[in-house]
Amino acid sequence: MLEVRNLQYQYSDETEFALDVPSWSCSEGARVAIVGRSGSGKTTFLKCLAGLLQPGEGEILWRDERVKGAEERLVPGNDKIKLVRQDFGQDPHMKVVENLRKYILSHDDDARADRIKKWLNELEISNLEQRKAKHLSGGQLQRVALAQTLLAEPEVLLMDEPFSNLDPVHKHDFIPALRELFAKEKMTTISVMHDPVDALRIADQIVVFQDGQIIESGTSEEIFRNPKNLETARLFGLISVLSVEQNNAFFNHPLDKVVLDKKVWFRPNEVVLSNVKAKYTVQRKLPMPGANWIEIEIDGKLIVVSE
């Protein structure tokens, strides 16, 4: 189990941001996605887990062994918990296979070749083996960086925006392949995600950060369908937010939903245009799978419903 106890971190006394996680844990083999707005503490949390930052207080335990912070090691980091490098870490003038080979120097040539071949095949980039890094696209470099990290055989893999350089078509195909790979390897993975759909597709557990704190966590199903905070609902796609009075005044059949932060919220597919009784003005029709979405304005309030 990976466990966090009273973790606190602040970059300097001059910034208002502070990471504060009193308690959090995940089981071995879990696939976790961390979501939240920019600046909410997601990447800082990952770096603390990886031993790349020195917490001001608290501790991180992996299999009951404390993860040392950056100031406690000659080279910051942890052998068992690895964060995929965001700068890719590749020498642009070296071939992919040469870049990967330098990260497993402790193995003999045959063992290195076998392991490199395995991860190139698993990540579907074996065709890039002899290509120089400077000739790779951002998405290709991202996969090579992932292969580089996996070669170290980490017990916990940390990824920060792992699909940021992939175009939508490649991302659509890569996510299920990666999910299957992690399940086969029984690898604990924790990923920071910008796209909520990516988070739902790659992870079984979702953790939501706001202002340096975890505001809720749970299964993907729980977080998407029954969020406990309006902030969480907003993170997982377009929603409209109304007061209780507006909910009663706008619709023939007011929405029967859990009120969050004294507001009623809904996704476009939860309300059809025919349920609107108040006078409205159509602003725009948005083509969507299944049914078009309609932007309408009621008394200066813009909401989105289904056609």
Side-chain angles (χ1 to χ4, degrees), residues 47-251:
K47 289 182 177 180
C48 285
L49 294 180
L52 298 176
L53 295 176
Q54 183 68 42
E57 291 187 26
E59 59 182 359
I60 299 164
L61 303 173
W62 169 243
R63 295 178 175 172
D64 296 322
E65 180 180 339
R66 191 174 71 86
V67 176
K68 293 181 179 179
E71 296 176 6
E72 300 173 79
R73 293 174 58 96
L74 183 61
V75 179
N78 188 282
D79 295 334
K80 299 175 182 178
I81 305 175
K82 294 290 186 181
L83 175 63
V84 179
R85 292 181 59 166
Q86 290 304 291
D87 62 357
F88 308 129
Q90 310 300 307
D91 184 326
H93 303 291
M94 293 176 65
K95 296 177 181 178
V96 167
V97 67
E98 295 170 338
N99 268 302
L100 295 179
R101 197 178 289 141
K102 67 184 181 182
Y103 288 100
I104 46 174
L105 296 175
S106 59
H107 295 70
D108 61 46
D109 289 344
D110 289 340
R112 280 195 294 174
D114 289 343
R115 290 177 62 198
I116 289 172
K117 182 177 180 180
K118 171 190 175 180
W119 290 116
L120 288 176
N121 287 334
E122 292 281 12
L123 297 172
E124 301 178 356
I125 50 173
S126 55
N127 60 312
L128 305 178
E129 183 178 355
Q130 298 300 319
R131 194 177 300 182
K132 290 186 177 180
K134 66 180 181 180
H135 295 143
L136 301 183
S137 68
Q140 290 170 332
L141 281 169
Q142 207 157 29
R143 292 201 195 196
V144 173
L146 179 56
Q148 166 193 318
T149 306
L150 291 169
L151 280 168
E153 298 182 320
E155 295 171 356
V156 180
L157 179 68
L158 309 176
M159 300 185 291
D160 191 0
E161 303 286 1
F163 312 123
S164 60
N165 286 287
L166 294 178
D167 60 72
V169 175
H170 283 95
K171 183 171 69 171
H172 176 75
D173 295 333
F174 187 48
I175 289 178
L178 202 58
R179 188 178 63 232
E180 183 179 343
L181 170 62
F182 293 154
K184 182 177 69 175
E185 297 290 329
K186 296 181 173 58
M187 185 177 295
T188 305
T189 58
I190 303 173
S191 310
V192 164
M193 293 290 179
H194 174 71
D195 189 325
V197 176
D198 293 349
L200 294 171
R201 293 187 70 197
I202 197 71
D204 302 316
Q205 300 286 325
I206 305 288
V207 176
V208 185
F209 265 82
Q210 182 180 28
D211 298 329
Q213 298 182 329
I214 295 175
I215 59 171
E216 66 177 296
S217 62
T219 67
S220 302
E221 181 87 6
E222 291 169 344
I223 293 295
F224 181 77
R225 300 200 181 281
N226 302 297
K228 298 176 182 177
N229 296 274
L230 197 56
E231 174 72 8
T232 301
R234 285 191 171 103
L235 290 172
F236 284 87
L238 177 64
I239 66 170
S240 296
V241 180
L242 303 175
S243 67
V244 174
E245 292 75 20
Q246 287 172 325
N247 180 39
N248 293 326
F250 287 3
F251 306 128

Side-chain angles (χ1 to χ4, degrees), residues 24-61:
W24 180 78
S25 65
C26 77
S27 58
E28 292 190 35
R31 291 192 297 274
V32 180
I34 299 175
V35 300
R37 299 192 189 193
S38 298
S40 62
K42 307 183 300 295
T43 298
T44 300
F45 185 60
L46 275 195
K47 289 182 177 180
C48 285
L49 294 180
L52 298 176
L53 295 176
Q54 183 68 42
E57 291 187 26
E59 59 182 359
I60 299 164
L61 303 173

